[in-house]
Amino acid sequence: MNEKADAELKKQEREQIIELGSDITKSSKGNIYTLTIIGQVEGHQVLPETAKTTKYEHVLPLLAGIEESEEIDGLLLLLNTVGGDIEAGLAIAEMIAGMKKPTVSLVLGGGHSIGIPLAVCTKKSFITPTASMTVHPVRMTGLVVGAPQTFRYFQRIQEQIADFVTANSNISKEQFESYMMATGEMATDVGTILYGKEAVASGLIDKLGGLSDALTTLHKMIARQSGQGKGKTRQKQ
């Protein structure tokens, strides 16, 4: 029975990696759930099968399960995303920002557009030297009603994004908005592209580093939280 149960568990873990791009790493330093945000963040509309997507309806209940699980000590968030649906991206970011467990993000390749709130929503954020982040105004494709209310709606969304980013990072709102509305940085668009060192210097991302740096920080956070938990238990006794 134990062998069958172990085989079934391994099968489920393999399927989880394939379907969600996630994995659980167990070690003496703690159990870490690794979650990837890749391609486009898919929202209320289903994107073509040819596009790599992160589906928010899969991620939200997964995050709730991670927060409640007694077998998971921390979350490592790996990002290589071009952005996507604003509401879906913010929903995931708000979920992670509201978690009590240790969380660390690592931007690999790109953390563009709505990927920026996702990059800063963790307790500590890292970016590799070659990774980039594109800060730009809210955009919408398809039919748009040409009325003042539409532009006001866009402005309010931008304010919400700016407020979230500045509340979860060390960049000022003025600086972030200046990056968002910059001209001359991008050939066919408004906005700014920040690479690793620039993202850290601006205060948008906490540290420059790679996988080992992110994991080391996460292990320290887990150990610190574990020690605090033991201290509370002793006090109760």
Side-chain angles (χ1 to χ4, degrees):
M1 288 293 291
N2 290 335
E3 292 182 359
K4 288 184 178 180
D6 290 340
E8 184 63 27
L9 181 60
K10 289 180 180 179
K11 182 181 178 182
Q12 290 177 358
E13 290 176 351
R14 286 195 298 270
E15 290 176 351
Q16 188 169 273
I17 294 172
I18 295 171
E19 292 295 326
L20 300 175
S22 61
D23 189 26
I24 300 175
T25 305
K26 299 180 180 180
S27 70
S28 58
K29 297 178 183 179
N31 300 337
I32 295 174
Y33 196 104
T34 301
L35 178 64
T36 58
I37 304 293
I38 61 164
Q40 295 187 56
V41 178
E42 188 177 86
H44 304 300
Q45 294 184 342
V46 178
L47 294 173
E49 293 183 0
T50 54
K52 286 187 178 294
T53 62
T54 297
K55 300 179 184 296
Y56 82 104
E57 69 269 25
H58 291 172
V59 177
L60 296 184
L62 185 63
L63 291 171
I66 293 170
E67 178 73 350
E68 284 294 296
S69 175
E70 296 180 354
E71 297 180 356
I72 298 172
D73 301 305
L75 171 67
L76 175 64
L77 190 67
L78 303 179
L79 293 110
N80 187 9
T81 176
V82 296
D85 187 278
I86 293 173
E87 291 183 352
L90 281 177
I92 296 172
E94 288 282 12
M95 283 279 286
I96 297 172
M99 294 176 70
K100 291 182 179 179
K101 287 188 176 178
T103 56
V104 171
S105 66
L106 174 60
V107 180
L108 301 155
H112 308 298
S113 191
I114 201 61
I116 293 173
L118 289 164
V120 304
C121 68
T122 52
K123 293 176 175 60
K124 286 290 181 181
S125 59
F126 286 82
I127 186 171
T128 59
T130 58
S132 60
M133 306 180 78
T134 304
V135 187
H136 62 71
V138 172
R139 299 174 299 190
M140 184 176 290
T141 58
L143 181 64
V144 177
V145 178
Q149 290 87 342
T150 300
F151 296 104
R152 175 55 183 158
Y153 173 66
F154 282 7
Q155 185 179 17
R156 292 183 67 185
I157 293 176
Q158 287 181 186
E159 289 173 358
Q160 293 297 319
I161 294 171
D163 287 343
F164 182 89
V165 170
T166 53
N168 290 277
S169 68
N170 294 314
I171 194 171
S172 67
K173 188 173 182 179
E174 293 75 19
Q175 182 66 61
F176 184 73
E177 289 179 340
S178 70
Y179 283 146
M180 187 181 286
M181 303 306 296
T183 58
E185 286 282 328
M186 301 168 67
T188 59
D189 202 354
V190 177
T192 306
I193 300 175
L194 299 173
Y195 287 92
K197 290 182 179 179
E198 296 170 319
V200 175
S202 69
L204 188 60
I205 298 296
D206 293 325
K207 293 183 179 181
L208 193 72
L211 180 60
S212 61
D213 301 300
L215 285 172
T216 297
T217 297
L218 188 54
H219 287 146
K220 289 180 180 179
M221 293 167 66
I222 290 171
R224 193 180 305 119
Q225 189 174 78
S226 178
Q228 291 174 351
K230 290 178 181 178
K232 290 179 181 179
T233 302
R234 285 195 293 271
Q235 290 176 6
K236 288 181 181 179
Q237 291 175 345

